[in-house]
Every structure is written in C-alpha cells, then in structure tokens.
Amino acid sequence: MTEPLCTTALVVNEPGGDFVFTDVHLEAPRADEVLVRIVATGLCHTDLTVPTMLPAEMMPTVMGHEGTGVVEQVGADVAGIEVGDHVVISFRSCRACGPCEEGHVGYCEQALLLNYMGMRADGSTTMTAAEGDRAGQTVFGNFFGQSSFARHALAYADNCVVVDKSLDLTRLAPFACGFQTGAGTVLNLLDPAPGDSLVVFGAGGVGLAAVAAARGRGVETVVVVDPLAARRAIAEEYGATAIDPTVDGAPAVEEQVRSLTGGGASYAIDTTALPAVVLQAQRSLRNRGMLVALGLGAPEYTIDAIDLLSTGKTVRSSVEGESDPLVTIPELIALREAGKFDVDHLVTTYPFERIADAIADTKSGLVVKPVLVWGE
C-alpha cells in the first residue's frame, strides 16, 4: 500500500471555528480517485456557512469546493484524466441514479453523502492529523469530493474537468461553483431571449456571473439590486441598470423594477437568502414570471400567496445552475474565450495565508470573488 502524503490543509476544529493551518496525512488515491496538487481555490459563502452548521462529531474538517490544480496521481479505474492534466474540480454526483441518468446531476440521490458528509461513500475518511496533540486524529474531508482548502486534494473523474494548460487556473476556480451557479441558472434554466428582462438581487460572485451570462446572451434589460455602490458600479459596467435599495424616500424596489422592465421582470434571481428580499423579487415579476432562489441562509421564506395564485408566477430553486460540470464548465470557458462571459475582473487573489483578509474583504463588499492561491 502506498504511503499517505503529508500535506498542509486549512482545518476547522470546532463548529464556527477559525481556519487553522495543519499538517495532515492524506491517503494515496484509490482506484477511482485522482490526486491533485491544488493551485487555487475559490472562497465561497458555503465554505463559511457549512462549518457553522456541522455537528462537533464531524469535526475537525477541511472545506474548499472550488479547486483547481495539476493532477499528480490517477487511480487505476479512472479514464480520461492523466498525470499532468490541469483540472477544475466541481461537485460530485453518482452518475447512476435516476436524476443523474436524466442529466440532472445536481439532484443526484447520493448528493448529500458524496458532497457533505466528510467521508467517502463507503464511510472511510481520507485524512488524519500529522502533528501535535491531535496526531493520528481523523480529519473529515471529501467536501464536494475534494476539500481543496489544502495543498493536495483527492477528487474523482465525475468532478474533475480537464482544461487547457494555457489557461490561468486562478481565474477558473470560481467556475467550479459560484460562476457556474449564476451563469448556469441563466443559460440552462431560464434560457432568456434578448427581449426578456432579468432582475438580480445581490451582486456578489453568483449574481454578477448571472448578469455576465445574460448580457453575453444578448438580454437587453438587466436590473441589479444591491446596497453596495461598488457592486452596483460593476453591474453598470455590464450594461445593467442598478438600484440602491437603501435610498430613503425612493419608490419600493419592486415598483422600480416594474417601471424599468415595462410591468415586471420576466425572470428574477435572488442570491441574498434574505426573506424580505426574496419577497421583493417575487413581487418584481411580471405575470407568469419566474423567480429562482439561489442563496443559502434563511431556513424559511415568506411568499405572497395572493400574488402567486393570481399571476401564475413560479418560485423555485436551482442546484448549481442545473449544471453538469463536465458539460457546463467547458461551455462557460468557451464563452469566456469568445468574450461572451466576462468575469475575470471579478476575481481577487490572496495567498492562502491571508484567508482571514479574504473573508473580511468579502463580507465588507471590498471584493467580489476571492480566490486563495498557494505559493511555491
């Protein structure tokens, strides 16, 4: 049996705890696994939220689910991936259940086990602490089939997307989840025509990726609602109309949206997970319009039942923008190369050592999409 690899990971030791640099032993890849040397990993809201929700029994753990890197080892049963390949690592799916066979891999019946439980499907774990008083202690990982807040990660053929080696992996990391979710919702689910209208609530990485995809598709009327001036300015650079929801004395946000869209938006996307904002988004729609809620946070939303039942509106969610990463990520990269998905400027890179700064700058709105990068 091949000896485990000693590598460095950002470990969360207790629910809601800080990210702590820790040396860990990472098992060698099994027959269906791929060992990736991580180059960069996007910092996503989910990486900050999930550790506050996990029970102590699932700690310590390693987050990170927007990894990119270079393949160093490939298991015997893995096809289509070779040592030296550059990959974007996304979410996992079993590829065998009903939803997967229908092409809806984001709704895989094994999604919880494969992405969130901190272990392989057979219940085994991949890491142990390699230092100090915790040496030998189990470290939970396999988050989204990767746990890429580490110098090395184990991944799988179903969540590794091979990309051209000339591409900058630091710019592609958000394609694994955040950009894929926003853009995929527009392109795969809404599929708007140029004459349709879209309103996006929350101009973070997911929201602005949706804006970029809509504008790249040729949608003429795009409205963005966000309280931060810097975020609104970025939206306006895409050609969107931006609304500041905090202006005293201004008409209600939904009234402004209806005015800008000729009676209501064809589509709305919420990325905030704020119940009051979700309600605004619903009321901003035209008759038979669709609202897609993407934010993770509030356990419940309030829906205007009279509005819903009298207008034929649709309120739904979307997992990863209805994407199959093996299909959608290459498509988004091709759109990026063609100048129809302009998102590079949304990325700000930080050394992994500055993860605290990246978190603070994200929460303050100073940056849109932080990406953590390992040095030599």
Side-chain angles (χ1 to χ4, degrees), residues 18-170:
D18 294 331
F19 293 95
V20 179
F21 283 95
T22 305
D23 287 340
V24 298
H25 286 136
L26 179 67
E27 286 191 4
R30 293 184 177 181
D32 62 340
E33 295 175 338
V34 178
L35 177 67
V36 181
R37 175 177 58 81
I38 298 298
V39 171
T41 308
L43 175 65
C44 182
H45 179 68
T46 306
D47 296 309
L48 307 180
T49 303
V50 170
T52 69
M53 302 167 64
L54 291 176
E57 292 77 14
M58 292 178 65
M59 297 285 181
T61 190
V62 179
M63 296 286 105
H65 65 287
E66 293 184 340
T68 61
V70 181
V71 175
E72 291 197 338
Q73 294 182 46
V74 177
D77 295 342
V78 174
I81 302 172
E82 299 179 353
V83 172
D85 280 345
H86 289 197
V87 292
V88 176
I89 317 174
S90 190
F91 66 92
R92 287 212 67 198
S93 55
C94 75
R95 303 274 166 177
C97 66
C100 283
E101 290 186 339
E102 293 170 359
H104 305 302
V105 298
Y107 304 95
C108 172
E109 293 174 355
Q110 301 299 317
L112 183 64
L113 174 61
L114 295 176
N115 292 285
Y116 291 101
M117 297 306 293
M119 59 189 73
R120 296 184 177 100
D122 66 2
S124 63
T125 54
T126 61
M127 288 181 284
T128 56
E131 61 180 8
D133 296 339
R134 296 178 180 265
Q137 179 183 9
T138 294
V139 177
F140 292 91
N142 231 56
F143 187 57
F144 278 63
Q146 56 185 283
S147 285
S148 53
F149 279 178
R151 284 189 177 272
H152 295 83
L154 289 176
Y156 301 80
D158 60 82
N159 70 335
C160 279
V161 181
V162 178
V163 298
D164 192 285
K165 293 179 182 178
S166 67
L167 299 176
D168 184 351
L169 291 175
T170 66

Side-chain angles (χ1 to χ4, degrees), residues 8 45 74-75 121 123 127 173 192-193 196 201 217 228 233 245 247 261 320 358 368 376:
T8 302
H45 179 68
V74 177
M127 288 181 284
D196 289 327
F201 289 79
R217 173 63 69 87
L228 297 176
V247 175
T261 58
E320 295 284 347
V368 173
E376 296 300 326

Side-chain angles (χ1 to χ4, degrees), residues 101-348:
E101 290 186 339
E102 293 170 359
H104 305 302
V105 298
Y107 304 95
C108 172
E109 293 174 355
Q110 301 299 317
L112 183 64
L113 174 61
L114 295 176
N115 292 285
Y116 291 101
M117 297 306 293
M119 59 189 73
R120 296 184 177 100
D122 66 2
S124 63
T125 54
T126 61
M127 288 181 284
T128 56
E131 61 180 8
D133 296 339
R134 296 178 180 265
Q137 179 183 9
T138 294
V139 177
F140 292 91
N142 231 56
F143 187 57
F144 278 63
Q146 56 185 283
S147 285
S148 53
F149 279 178
R151 284 189 177 272
H152 295 83
L154 289 176
Y156 301 80
D158 60 82
N159 70 335
C160 279
V161 181
V162 178
V163 298
D164 192 285
K165 293 179 182 178
S166 67
L167 299 176
D168 184 351
L169 291 175
T170 66
R171 301 292 160 179
L172 296 187
F175 284 62
C177 182
F179 289 175
Q180 175 176 239
T181 297
T185 298
V186 172
L187 302 177
N188 299 328
L189 176 58
L190 304 182
D191 190 23
D196 289 327
S197 54
L198 169 69
V199 56
V200 177
F201 289 79
V206 173
L208 287 172
V211 172
R215 294 294 294 156
R217 173 63 69 87
V219 177
E220 297 168 0
T221 304
V222 178
V223 180
V224 172
V225 182
D226 197 284
L228 297 176
R231 299 279 178 88
R232 295 196 303 274
I234 296 172
E236 289 171 344
E237 291 173 1
Y238 282 115
T241 301
I243 294 175
D244 180 355
T246 67
V247 175
D248 290 336
V253 168
E254 51 265 46
E255 292 178 13
Q256 295 182 62
V257 174
R258 288 197 294 265
S259 175
L260 291 167
T261 58
S266 311
Y267 304 107
I269 294 174
D270 174 75
T271 69
T272 71
L274 299 173
V277 177
V278 173
L279 188 57
Q280 287 179 335
Q282 178 197 340
R283 291 171 172 168
S284 297
L285 292 170
R286 71 182 185 188
N287 288 0
R288 303 187 72 247
M290 179 185 291
L291 162 63
V292 185
L294 299 179
L296 175 65
E300 295 181 349
Y301 293 144
T302 298
I303 298 299
D304 184 336
I306 299 299
D307 176 68
L308 185 71
L309 296 173
S310 63
T311 61
K313 295 176 182 179
T314 302
V315 179
R316 61 160 295 172
S317 64
S318 175
V319 175
E320 295 284 347
E322 310 298 297
S323 300
D324 178 342
L326 301 183
V327 175
T328 299
I329 290 175
E331 289 178 347
L332 292 179
I333 291 173
L335 290 173
R336 171 183 178 265
E337 296 302 294
K340 295 182 178 180
F341 187 54
D342 179 18
V343 290
D344 281 12
H345 62 293
L346 303 181
V347 171
T348 302

